[in-house]
Amino acid sequence: MLNLIHFKIPKKFLGVLVLLIIALLTMKFTGIERTTLTPVEKALRELLAPLQSGVTTVARSLSNVTDSILSYKEIQEENKLLKEKVRKLTIENSHLEEFRQENVRLNLLLDFKRQYEERWEMEPAHVIARDYDNWNSTIIIDKGSNHGIKKDMAVSNYQGLVGRVINVTPNTAEVLLIIDSESAVGALAQTTRVPGVVEAATDGNEKLQMVHIPHDAPLPVNGVIITSGLGQIFPKGLKIGYIKKVIPAPNGLVKKALVKPFVDFDSLEEVLVIKKDKGATP
Amino acid sequence: MKHFFRLSILAVVGLTLESTILEKIAIAGVKPDLMLVIVIFYALLYGEIPAAKLGFIYGLLEDLATGKFIGINTISKMLTGYLVGLGEGKLYSDNLMVPVIGLFIGSIANYLCFFILGIIVGHPEVFPVESFFQTIMISTIYNVCLAPFLYGRYYRLVRGTSKRSINTRT
């Protein structure tokens, strides 16, 4: 009994015990329900924040690089599949674009046909070939005598006059374009009714020229040139082009006009062959 | 002073890494406890009293950084440092098996202490019994696995000695 009274608690143990009690109390009061931090905690967090930010940024970058390396094979496979898909879609897209453009052209051609079907009987045709050499400007179409196509029939599209048929086989026809040097079309200015002949231009940048115009005839620049109907080949009223420039001839008696055709001869794909003039007035 | 400076740097590095990239190498949500590893290594080299002091400071820093249950890591790491430090002088600190065993015993002691304190404070939702054994085992194994990679470096850094190999024989 006496021993127990004189029992001395070791200082170390006492210190740890006090520390433990303080710690338990602190723990109790700093549980998850805390709403504010002490200044010491705030200072420590402020000290660590830039370091944490730096390490996280570096780690994230490294992680991205590592992920890229680890998934290289997978990415390669995916890339291969995507390339194949892109190739297929590109082809498909190209076809669709082709159909779209054809649709636009055919719609315009149909509009043209509807507009003039009372005046002319027309046969639509596809251009299947171009001239074989550099000296002639002709096209081959996929309709011939089996479809009622004959020599000297006028050929047009929704833009304007294209040319005339010069050779026919049962299923094809050769069309001499109006820009060929062999071609000559009776024409007149739409507003001033000045007559002339449209042929392939011999100089300047334009493909056509209108000649045999009296020097005092009124020819407005930008004025539309249409077929005159004289010569029995081209029906009257088909648009040819518009005047870009009027040039007086050196002798001063006549003048000529450079004409820009409405038809884009470099991209002819569908045309209409005018088979018969029904005689209706334009 | 140099010693104090090195330990301070280690504390900052340890806290920073624990809150950043160590999350990325967590297994089943458990990551290695770098601060504990440092305390245990220190205990093996300097004995129970210095290790208890370091455990106290490191634990307190961790608690302050966490901002919750301040004291739980302080006491756990202090007691762990003291316990592992008792082996100092009785073992060859340059043998690789020493830190391995030290980390094993120290980790289990630390987590047990941590858990008991958590139970005493009375927050079972924060310290769930069900996952306790899983957490303690993964953390311990994780910490032990760090020994071969970190002990030699730590030995040289804290002791400030020139490069020397750690004996890997048991």
Side-chain angles (χ1 to χ4, degrees):
Chain A
M1 194 65 186
L2 201 67
N3 283 342
L4 276 174
I5 293 166
H6 290 285
F7 177 73
K8 280 186 177 175
I9 301 169
K11 272 187 178 177
K12 273 185 191 174
F13 180 74
L14 197 67
V16 170
L17 197 67
V18 171
L19 208 63
L20 196 62
I21 291 164
I22 294 169
L24 283 170
L25 286 171
T26 322
M27 281 169 64
K28 191 77 183 167
F29 292 109
T30 54
I32 45 176
E33 298 89 2
R34 286 180 78 200
T35 51
T36 53
L37 296 173
T38 60
V40 183
E41 289 168 280
K42 285 178 185 171
L44 187 63
R45 287 193 183 190
E46 287 295 315
L47 171 76
L48 291 175
L51 297 169
Q52 289 167 326
S53 169
V55 171
T56 303
T57 309
V58 172
R60 208 167 282 159
S61 310
L62 285 174
S63 171
N64 288 343
V65 173
T66 317
D67 286 351
S68 303
I69 294 167
L70 290 175
S71 56
Y72 178 72
K73 189 80 185 165
E74 196 182 319
I75 289 170
Q76 213 175 19
E77 280 294 312
E78 198 180 336
N79 189 38
K80 201 175 164 186
L81 287 172
L82 287 173
K83 272 185 178 168
E84 182 60 24
K85 205 170 177 180
V86 165
R87 194 185 66 82
K88 281 182 181 169
L89 286 173
T90 306
I91 293 169
E92 196 180 317
N93 194 41
S94 168
H95 286 157
L96 288 173
E97 177 59 21
E98 194 64 22
F99 288 138
R100 191 189 68 80
Q101 286 191 16
E102 189 181 17
N103 188 42
V104 170
R105 288 195 311 271
L106 291 176
N107 266 323
L108 289 165
L109 205 64
L110 192 63
D111 285 346
F112 179 84
K113 199 182 171 192
R114 279 187 188 140
Q115 192 182 343
Y116 293 101
E117 65 189 351
E118 284 183 11
R119 290 176 62 193
W120 305 312
E121 188 185 329
M122 288 173 276
E123 181 72 34
H126 281 102
V127 177
I128 56 170
R130 309 286 303 206
D131 39 73
Y132 296 100
D133 55 41
N134 295 321
W135 308 106
N136 296 303
S137 294
T138 57
I139 53 170
I140 308 291
I141 57 173
D142 63 349
K143 297 280 170 72
S145 55
N146 286 347
H147 308 90
I149 310 293
K150 290 177 186 159
K151 192 171 181 288
D152 286 337
M153 281 182 172
V155 178
S156 177
N157 73 355
Y158 62 90
Q159 294 169 314
L161 182 65
V162 171
R164 65 185 164 93
V165 177
I166 52 169
N167 287 307
V168 183
T169 67
N171 290 301
T172 67
E174 187 180 3
V175 178
L176 182 75
L177 303 179
I178 56 169
I179 54 171
D180 188 276
S181 55
E182 295 290 312
S183 173
V185 183
L188 53 86
Q190 194 173 33
T191 51
T192 58
R193 313 310 279 181
V194 174
V197 174
V198 169
E199 58 182 27
T202 50
D203 52 4
N205 293 324
E206 299 309 328
K207 288 182 173 174
L208 295 174
Q209 63 183 9
M210 188 169 166
V211 293
H212 307 312
I213 307 162
H215 71 96
D216 56 347
L219 268 185
V221 173
N222 291 331
V224 175
I225 304 297
I226 57 169
T227 52
S228 63
L230 303 172
Q232 305 299 312
I233 293 176
F234 300 103
K236 191 176 180 180
L238 273 170
K239 288 191 289 182
I240 299 173
Y242 62 94
I243 298 166
K244 286 285 284 186
K245 194 179 180 184
V246 180
I247 306 167
N251 59 21
L253 297 175
V254 290
K255 61 183 175 183
K256 68 177 181 180
L258 296 179
V259 177
K260 186 169 181 66
F262 288 125
V263 174
D264 181 4
F265 291 98
D266 295 327
S267 59
L268 276 175
E269 289 181 59
E270 294 91 16
V271 293
L272 288 166
V273 181
I274 299 170
K275 289 161 71 176
K276 192 176 168 186
D277 194 339
K278 292 177 180 173
T281 49
Chain B
M1 192 63 194
K2 198 184 259 183
H3 191 70
F4 173 77
F5 181 72
R6 283 174 181 163
L7 288 172
S8 305
I9 295 287
L10 274 179
V12 174
V13 171
L15 280 175
T16 307
L17 293 182
E18 271 187 7
S19 58
T20 53
I21 55 172
L22 290 192
E23 287 286 346
K24 294 191 184 300
I25 56 166
I27 296 172
V30 180
K31 58 188 177 185
D33 190 337
L34 217 51
M35 300 291 270
L36 178 67
V37 171
I38 296 168
V39 169
I40 291 171
F41 285 172
Y42 194 79
L44 292 170
L45 296 175
Y46 292 98
E48 69 271 25
I49 299 299
K53 287 177 185 171
L54 188 78
F56 179 86
I57 295 164
Y58 272 26
L60 185 61
L61 283 172
E62 217 172 342
D63 284 334
L64 290 171
T66 312
K68 289 186 188 75
F69 302 105
I70 292 168
I72 193 163
N73 277 302
T74 314
I75 299 298
S76 305
K77 287 193 168 56
M78 184 186 79
L79 292 179
T80 305
Y82 186 85
L83 178 72
V84 178
L86 291 173
E88 190 263 342
K90 301 178 186 70
L91 302 160
Y92 292 106
S93 60
D94 58 353
N95 188 312
L96 189 62
M97 276 314 286
V98 172
V100 169
I101 294 166
L103 279 172
F104 184 77
I105 295 169
S107 297
I108 291 176
N110 177 71
Y111 295 126
L112 271 173
C113 183
F114 188 91
F115 187 71
I116 291 165
L117 287 171
I119 297 289
I120 294 170
V121 178
H123 281 284
E125 71 278 11
V126 184
F127 308 100
V129 185
E130 310 83 57
S131 60
F132 171 69
F133 286 104
Q134 187 190 327
T135 307
I136 201 170
M137 284 319 295
I138 296 173
S139 304
T140 302
I141 292 166
Y142 223 151
N143 290 342
V144 168
C145 288
L146 292 177
F149 304 105
L150 297 182
Y151 189 62
R153 289 179 177 82
Y154 181 82
Y155 193 100
R156 286 193 295 274
L157 179 77
V158 176
R159 282 273 163 95
T161 55
S162 60
K163 191 175 182 178
R164 66 180 269 197
S165 62
I166 301 297
N167 184 11
T168 51
R169 283 177 296 169
T170 54

